[in-house]
Amino acid sequence: MLLGQLNALASPLSQEQVQKLQGLVAELNPIQQAWVSGYLAANANSAALGAPIAGTPASSEAAVLTILYGSQTGNAKAEATKLKEQAESRGLAAKLVSMSDYKPTALKKEKFLTVVVSTYGEGEPPEDAETLYEFLITKKAPKLDGVKVAVLGLGDSSYEFFCQTAKDFEERLTNLGADVIYQRADLDVDYDDEAATWIEGALNAFEPDLKAQQDATGGQVLSMPFGTSTTAASQYTKQNPFAAELSLVQKITGRDSTKDVRHIEISLEGSDITYTPGDSLGIYFLNDEACVDELLAQTQIDPTSRVKLGDEELSVRDALIEKLELTQSYPGFVEKYATATGTPELLKLVEDKAAMREYIEPRQIFDVVAQNPAKLEAQTLVDCLRKLQARLYSIASSQSEVEDEVHLTIALVEFEAFGTEHLGGCSGYLARRAQEGCKVKVFSEHNDNFRLPVNDDTPIIMVGPGTGIAPFRAFLQERDAREATGKNWLFFGNPHFTQDFLYQVEIQGYLKSGLLSKVDVAFSRDQAEKVYVQDKLRKNSKEVFDWLEAGAHFYVCGDANRMAKDVHNALIDIISENTGKSNEEADQYLKDLRSANRYQKDVY
């Protein structure tokens, strides 16, 4: 029986289960499909005989460490996976679950629980954590007396609400009676070593009771292969990036545009890197050499001085260009630099968090040093800085079309401050300094929270103003290659039609071929009254709602602080207008869409 026939037949599976099964099978090669088939058959036979299968508890009361993760870009998922692997290496039963797939009512059955969660925006939970996050403060949340918990938070200290989601989860769980048995860690962007330390410490805390209960209920629980990754992982990762050739850097905004947007093409030839539409590409960049030389002069450091970074020894100049963060300011640097230099003005900021935030907001690290020059030892300066973090960009291509390439759509970050031009770290490197043909270090970052429907007949609505168009270019290439029959509707916005219509020729070509059923554009500055994508959504209220009722998936990519919230509010209005629902009921409608993976966001 073909999976495509499941919907039409009397299947015992729900529609959501069918879609998940189709999604899994689509990722497997024939050998992997055969393995899964055999596994499921063995599972069914064992269940019929009443015997426990490998990887499942011998008793429903068996002790299992449940690892819940909420991940926006994949980092929290990766750390949660390491936690599971290390638990199993100790002979402990562990269950890894995305919060989006976890039934909140199952909390009352838990005995050992870990939460690994990131924070983004203004202290907000990642998309896949929202339902559980909100459930914990409702009257339906169960008492968790006796439940042992530990929480790991991932965040970025350059933002005000650093690791707020992790703090909130721990507070909400303890308010329900749970016992925190290992201290929460709030990890900054350079977290690898601290995460490893936390994982070891948390498992040390869980292990005695877990093993005692496990032994009491039938012994060790084995690792369960089904549900773990079935696709071969690339040898190239965040820790081991691939040196790829920068093939093309092309400006795609007009001469008179207020924006400088570049179409980037990078060759993946010679690597085993694969990606799926909706994924991101991580890029390591080089800091501006001229700015580095100025910084060294301001701190009176010999550029050839040798410094240590972990186990590596290199010149301080090379370390500053290749290895250390110098554009994105964060409180930790100001605090360390203030202490190292004894600068009174900076030392005052350390005592005032609000003043610190106000201070770092317009400044790059280059500015902090330039405005507070002081003689330093090379190693002291290096110790004040954190490691350079790769920048993630939504991929703007499908490998079904571009094969051993990956395309990006990147806006150059540029602004005037303190009398000089400032550029973003990675965007400045790619748009201004990197030459076509040079090597850039890259890796793919999978995003399971932003995926095309498995069923190619499903209609989709895409809202992507500005560089938010990137993943939808990938979606369209993929649907074109698949010859998908589902309708596609694109909403795009930017300031001016003549200067800022990104990928105009491609979009018009897809419209002409019929791949794009509808395109609505909002060029905000081409008329007296500003018009945005959310205005276009409201203008098409009935048809947008009809598409949703017909099963359409709704996608948003772009600015999280304003655009995504404005689009969300527009959807609330559209649902209310077409159903008579209250705002609260309309919001629940959207939550239901999100739970069914039909409302997905890639926002930043």
Side-chain angles (χ1 to χ4, degrees), residues 453-469:
V454 174
N455 186 343
D456 284 341
D457 297 333
T458 303
I460 64 172
I461 301 174
M462 302 163 284
V463 182
T467 56
I469 188 69

Side-chain angles (χ1 to χ4, degrees), residues 106 197 211:
T197 299
K211 276 201 167 177

Side-chain angles (χ1 to χ4, degrees), residues 416-427:
E416 289 288 326
F418 315 110
T420 61
E421 181 188 52
H422 288 57
L423 300 177
C426 193
S427 65

Side-chain angles (χ1 to χ4, degrees), residues 72 91 117-118 226 311 349 388 414:
Q72 194 70 22
V117 67
S118 60
F226 188 68
D311 297 329
L349 292 173
L388 183 76
E414 52 184 336

